[in-house]
Amino acid sequence: MSRLQQFEVGAGRAASGRYPVSRGLRWLRGGATAVLALAERIAGGGRRRARALGVADRAAALSWARWPVGEATRRAVVRARGDSATIRLGRIDNDGRLTSELGGFPGLSSVGGTEFVERYRYSLDLLLEGDSVFLRKDFRGDRAGFLREWQALATLGGIRAPALLRVDETALVLDKSFVPGPTLRDLLVAAGARILSVDTERDPDLLAFEPAARIEVVWARGRQRLAAVGGQALVSEIEQAIRAVHAHGVTGMSFTFGNVVIEAESGLPWLIDFDNAQVDRRRGRRFRRRRQSDDQLFSRIYLGR
């Protein structure tokens, strides 16, 4: 009998109970169970803390009546909405562009259906409910990312970040306020930076690079155009936004070009992506280490060092 056959027979006997599972296997199973239990306790703590913080009033959402949408688009929305309380205005793609059959919307780059690039991780829709315009983020089963963003947004309470409007723990979906205004990526692209995924994925100049090095090249392309969209003053404002978030114990949020919105009314940068964020209530050594990591990443992206 070959070793493979002996293994198969032994595995069959173990499964049938004809001889006991080895101590090593029992130890591994016990260890895995303990890890899962620990993860569930951590997740449960995150849920409890987020629930205690609550969600924002619907008044934190953008008002449809006050949003300067073109008349043709507004009429199309009214026709499509009919008697429905809620309507999807469009879907946002991986490059932050909106595809919609209803027309264009202020502060959002439009993209045709054939050029729409599916989001790599989570889906993001722009919705209208009553007079409230907001974003719905579907985490597609990623409970960890869902809990991280839930707790971070609930902690920040709309400070230089979207307000949390609604939580669906069963579907793993969050509704958050839509921050009107272009992303920094939109501005850099308009200034000539070739940094959209539709450009970089087919760029022969990037094919020789590993993914980690490729993103460094994309950041460098963006930095080259920063002077045209606000320069050092804008970079300083982004740093201030990061500091404001850090002041609430939140670290690990994304502040890459596509996740910084220049808010239309104030002209200030807001951070909009928190599915990798961490919240530290004690602000101890772990928080300081994570804050330093954010500072180093900021320097790499915006200062090139």
Side-chain angles (χ1 to χ4, degrees):
M1 182 181 295
S2 70
R3 290 188 176 182
L4 176 58
Q5 290 171 324
Q6 291 172 0
F7 174 82
E8 290 173 342
V9 170
R13 288 175 178 169
S16 66
R18 290 175 60 183
Y19 61 75
V21 178
S22 69
R23 292 181 181 178
L25 185 56
R26 285 199 299 271
W27 182 85
L28 287 172
R29 287 177 177 172
T33 301
V35 168
L36 290 173
L38 177 60
E40 183 58 33
R41 285 200 297 274
I42 293 172
R47 281 195 298 270
R48 287 191 294 274
R49 288 190 291 273
R51 287 171 182 162
L53 292 165
V55 297
D57 186 88
R58 298 298 287 186
L62 176 67
S63 167
W64 170 250
R66 295 179 56 194
W67 197 19
V69 176
E71 285 304 315
T73 298
R74 196 172 289 277
R75 288 194 298 270
V77 170
V78 171
R79 288 195 301 269
R81 186 178 193 175
D83 296 329
S84 301
T86 305
I87 182 175
R88 185 172 71 177
L89 300 177
R91 295 190 301 143
I92 295 178
D93 81 345
N94 196 62
D95 284 321
R97 304 170 301 175
L98 183 79
T99 183
S100 174
E101 298 178 353
L102 303 172
F105 295 87
L108 286 166
S109 299
S110 298
V111 61
T114 57
E115 298 177 352
F116 184 90
V117 180
E118 290 291 344
R119 298 182 67 84
Y120 296 154
R121 299 173 66 199
Y122 314 128
S123 62
L124 199 59
D125 293 336
L126 184 68
L127 277 71
L128 170 62
E129 181 179 282
D131 185 53
S132 300
V133 179
F134 58 94
L135 291 171
R136 175 162 293 170
K137 188 169 183 176
D138 185 342
F139 287 78
R140 297 176 178 171
D142 182 359
R143 182 172 296 277
F146 167 79
L147 290 173
R148 286 192 295 264
E149 183 142 352
W150 176 9
Q151 189 177 355
L153 293 183
T155 298
L156 291 169
I159 296 176
R160 298 298 280 270
L164 183 64
L165 302 177
R166 182 182 294 146
V167 176
D168 188 332
E169 292 187 54
T170 302
L172 302 184
V173 168
L174 296 179
D175 290 350
K176 55 185 181 177
S177 62
F178 169 65
V179 181
T183 65
L184 178 54
R185 176 172 54 195
D186 292 334
L187 298 178
L188 293 172
V189 168
R194 297 180 62 250
I195 57 176
L196 295 180
S197 59
V198 292
D199 298 322
T200 58
E201 288 179 353
R202 297 190 293 266
D203 190 335
D205 294 337
L206 296 176
L207 294 179
F209 293 98
E210 294 295 327
R214 190 178 304 168
I215 192 61
E216 296 280 354
V217 175
V218 172
W219 291 341
R221 288 180 177 180
R223 281 196 304 274
Q224 292 170 1
R225 304 291 178 174
L226 277 172
V229 300
Q232 186 55 47
L234 176 58
V235 171
S236 296
E237 289 290 355
I238 295 170
E239 188 174 17
Q240 290 302 311
I242 295 170
R243 293 283 178 267
V245 172
H246 283 169
H248 288 75
V250 178
T251 56
M253 60 289 176
S254 176
F255 41 79
T256 54
F257 305 139
N259 290 318
V260 175
V261 168
I262 311 304
E263 200 269 331
E265 186 172 344
S266 66
L268 295 174
W270 286 44
L271 308 181
I272 59 172
D273 193 354
F274 290 83
D275 51 67
N276 280 318
Q278 300 288 338
V279 179
D280 288 284
R281 293 175 296 167
R282 298 180 181 179
R283 319 287 175 85
R285 182 180 301 176
R286 182 175 60 178
F287 167 74
R288 292 193 295 271
R289 185 171 63 250
R290 289 173 174 164
R291 183 179 59 188
Q292 183 180 34
S293 179
D294 283 349
D295 292 344
Q296 291 170 346
L297 182 58
F298 173 82
S299 293
R300 283 169 58 198
I301 295 173
Y302 289 97
L303 304 177
R305 58 174 186 254

Coordinates of all heavy atoms in Angstrom, one line a residue, residues 39-40 42-44 46-47 51 121-122 138-151 167-174 275:
A39 N -12.1 36.6 18.0 CA -12.5 37.5 17.0 C -14.0 38.0 17.2 O -14.3 39.1 17.0 CB -12.3 36.9 15.6
E40 N -14.8 37.0 17.6 CA -16.2 37.4 17.8 C -16.4 38.3 19.0 O -17.2 39.2 18.9 CB -17.0 36.1 18.0 CG -18.5 36.3 18.2 CD -19.1 37.0 17.0 OE1 -18.7 36.8 15.8 OE2 -20.1 37.8 17.1
I42 N -14.1 40.5 20.0 CA -13.7 41.8 19.5 C -14.7 42.5 18.7 O -15.0 43.7 18.8 CB -12.3 41.6 18.7 CG1 -11.2 41.2 19.7 CG2 -12.0 42.9 18.1 CD1 -10.0 40.8 19.0
A43 N -15.3 41.7 17.7 CA -16.4 42.3 16.9 C -17.6 42.7 17.7 O -18.1 43.8 17.5 CB -16.8 41.2 15.8
G44 N -17.9 41.9 18.7 CA -19.0 42.3 19.6 C -18.8 43.5 20.3 O -19.7 44.4 20.4
G46 N -16.9 46.0 19.3 CA -17.0 47.1 18.3 C -18.4 47.4 18.0 O -18.8 48.6 17.9
R47 N -19.3 46.4 17.9 CA -20.7 46.7 17.7 C -21.3 47.4 18.9 O -22.1 48.4 18.7 CB -21.5 45.3 17.5 CG -21.3 44.7 16.1 CD -22.4 43.6 15.9 NE -22.2 42.5 16.8 CZ -21.4 41.5 16.6 NH1 -20.8 41.4 15.5 NH2 -21.3 40.5 17.5
R51 N -23.0 51.1 18.5 CA -24.4 51.2 18.9 C -24.6 52.3 19.9 O -25.5 53.1 19.8 CB -25.0 49.9 19.4 CG -25.2 48.9 18.3 CD -25.6 47.6 18.9 NE -25.7 46.5 18.0 CZ -25.7 45.2 18.3 NH1 -25.6 44.8 19.5 NH2 -25.9 44.3 17.3
R121 N -13.9 46.2 -4.4 CA -14.3 45.6 -3.1 C -15.8 45.8 -2.8 O -16.6 44.9 -2.8 CB -13.5 46.3 -2.0 CG -12.0 46.0 -2.2 CD -11.1 46.8 -1.2 NE -11.4 46.3 0.2 CZ -11.1 47.0 1.3 NH1 -10.6 48.3 1.1 NH2 -11.3 46.6 2.5
Y122 N -16.2 47.0 -2.5 CA -17.6 47.3 -2.0 C -18.3 48.1 -3.0 O -17.8 48.9 -3.8 CB -17.6 48.0 -0.7 CG -16.6 47.5 0.3 CD1 -15.7 48.3 1.0 CD2 -16.6 46.2 0.7 CE1 -14.8 47.8 1.9 CE2 -15.7 45.7 1.6 CZ -14.8 46.5 2.2 OH -13.9 46.0 3.2
D138 N -22.4 48.9 0.4 CA -22.6 47.5 0.6 C -21.3 46.8 0.7 O -20.5 46.8 -0.2 CB -23.4 47.0 -0.6 CG -23.8 45.5 -0.4 OD1 -23.2 44.8 0.5 OD2 -24.7 45.0 -1.1
F139 N -21.0 46.2 1.9 CA -19.7 45.6 2.2 C -19.6 44.2 1.6 O -18.6 43.5 1.8 CB -19.4 45.7 3.7 CG -19.1 47.0 4.2 CD1 -20.1 48.0 4.4 CD2 -17.8 47.4 4.4 CE1 -19.8 49.2 4.8 CE2 -17.5 48.7 4.8 CZ -18.5 49.6 5.0
R140 N -20.6 43.7 0.9 CA -20.5 42.4 0.2 C -20.1 41.3 1.1 O -19.2 40.5 0.8 CB -19.7 42.5 -1.0 CG -20.2 43.5 -2.1 CD -19.2 43.7 -3.2 NE -19.7 44.6 -4.2 CZ -18.9 45.0 -5.3 NH1 -17.7 44.6 -5.4 NH2 -19.4 45.8 -6.2
G141 N -20.6 41.3 2.3 CA -20.3 40.2 3.3 C -19.1 40.4 4.1 O -18.8 39.5 5.0
D142 N -18.3 41.5 3.9 CA -17.1 41.7 4.7 C -17.5 42.4 6.1 O -17.6 43.6 6.2 CB -16.2 42.6 4.0 CG -14.9 42.9 4.7 OD1 -14.7 42.4 5.9 OD2 -14.0 43.6 4.2
R143 N -17.7 41.5 7.1 CA -18.2 42.0 8.4 C -17.1 42.9 9.1 O -17.5 43.9 9.7 CB -18.6 40.8 9.3 CG -19.1 41.2 10.6 CD -19.7 40.0 11.4 NE -20.8 39.4 10.7 CZ -22.1 39.9 10.8 NH1 -22.3 40.9 11.5 NH2 -23.0 39.3 10.1
A144 N -15.9 42.5 8.9 CA -14.8 43.3 9.6 C -14.7 44.7 9.1 O -14.7 45.6 9.8 CB -13.5 42.5 9.4
G145 N -14.7 44.8 7.7 CA -14.7 46.2 7.1 C -16.0 47.0 7.5 O -15.9 48.2 7.8
F146 N -17.1 46.3 7.5 CA -18.4 47.0 7.9 C -18.3 47.5 9.4 O -18.6 48.7 9.6 CB -19.5 45.9 7.8 CG -20.8 46.3 8.5 CD1 -21.7 47.2 7.8 CD2 -21.1 45.8 9.7 CE1 -22.9 47.5 8.4 CE2 -22.4 46.1 10.3 CZ -23.2 46.9 9.6
L147 N -17.8 46.7 10.3 CA -17.7 47.1 11.7 C -16.7 48.2 11.9 O -16.9 49.2 12.6 CB -17.3 45.9 12.6 CG -18.3 44.8 12.7 CD1 -17.8 43.6 13.5 CD2 -19.6 45.4 13.5
R148 N -15.5 48.2 11.1 CA -14.5 49.2 11.2 C -15.1 50.6 10.8 O -15.0 51.6 11.5 CB -13.3 48.9 10.4 CG -12.4 47.8 11.0 CD -11.1 47.7 10.3 NE -11.2 47.2 9.0 CZ -11.1 46.0 8.6 NH1 -10.8 45.0 9.4 NH2 -11.2 45.7 7.3
E149 N -15.8 50.6 9.6 CA -16.3 51.9 9.2 C -17.4 52.4 10.0 O -17.6 53.6 10.3 CB -16.7 51.8 7.7 CG -17.2 53.1 7.1 CD -16.8 53.3 5.7 OE1 -16.0 52.5 5.1 OE2 -17.3 54.3 5.1
W150 N -18.3 51.4 10.5 CA -19.4 51.8 11.4 C -18.9 52.5 12.6 O -19.3 53.6 12.9 CB -20.2 50.5 11.7 CG -21.3 50.7 12.7 CD1 -21.8 51.9 13.2 CD2 -22.0 49.7 13.3 NE1 -22.8 51.6 14.1 CE2 -23.0 50.3 14.2 CE3 -22.0 48.3 13.2 CZ2 -23.9 49.5 14.9 CZ3 -22.9 47.5 14.0 CH2 -23.8 48.2 14.8
Q151 N -17.9 51.9 13.3 CA -17.4 52.5 14.5 C -16.7 53.8 14.3 O -16.8 54.8 15.0 CB -16.5 51.5 15.2 CG -16.1 52.0 16.6 CD -15.3 51.0 17.4 OE1 -15.0 49.9 16.9 NE2 -14.8 51.3 18.6
V167 N -27.7 52.0 9.7 CA -26.9 50.8 9.8 C -27.8 49.5 9.6 O -28.8 49.4 10.3 CB -26.1 50.7 11.1 CG1 -25.4 49.3 11.2 CG2 -25.2 51.8 11.3
D168 N -27.4 48.6 8.7 CA -28.1 47.4 8.5 C -27.2 46.3 8.9 O -26.3 45.9 8.0 CB -28.6 47.2 7.1 CG -29.5 46.0 6.9 OD1 -29.4 45.0 7.6 OD2 -30.4 46.0 6.0
E169 N -27.2 45.7 10.1 CA -26.3 44.7 10.5 C -26.5 43.4 9.8 O -25.5 42.6 9.7 CB -26.4 44.5 12.0 CG -26.0 45.7 12.9 CD -26.0 45.4 14.3 OE1 -25.4 44.4 14.7 OE2 -26.7 46.1 15.1
T170 N -27.7 43.1 9.4 CA -27.9 41.8 8.7 C -27.4 41.8 7.3 O -26.7 40.9 6.9 CB -29.4 41.6 8.6 OG1 -30.0 41.6 10.0 CG2 -29.7 40.2 8.0
A171 N -27.6 42.9 6.5 CA -27.1 43.0 5.1 C -25.7 43.5 5.0 O -25.1 43.5 4.0 CB -28.1 43.9 4.3
L172 N -25.1 44.0 6.2 CA -23.8 44.6 6.2 C -23.8 45.8 5.2 O -22.9 45.9 4.3 CB -22.7 43.6 5.8 CG -22.7 42.4 6.8 CD1 -21.5 41.5 6.4 CD2 -22.6 42.8 8.2
V173 N -24.7 46.7 5.4 CA -24.8 47.9 4.6 C -24.9 49.2 5.5 O -25.5 49.2 6.5 CB -26.1 47.9 3.7 CG1 -26.4 49.2 3.1 CG2 -26.0 46.8 2.7
L174 N -24.1 50.2 5.1 CA -24.2 51.5 5.8 C -24.7 52.6 4.9 O -24.3 52.6 3.7 CB -22.8 51.9 6.3 CG -22.1 51.0 7.3 CD1 -20.7 51.6 7.6 CD2 -22.9 50.9 8.6
D275 N -13.2 52.0 5.9 CA -13.3 50.6 6.1 C -12.1 49.9 6.6 O -12.2 48.7 7.1 CB -13.9 49.9 4.8 CG -13.0 50.2 3.6 OD1 -11.8 49.8 3.6 OD2 -13.5 50.9 2.7

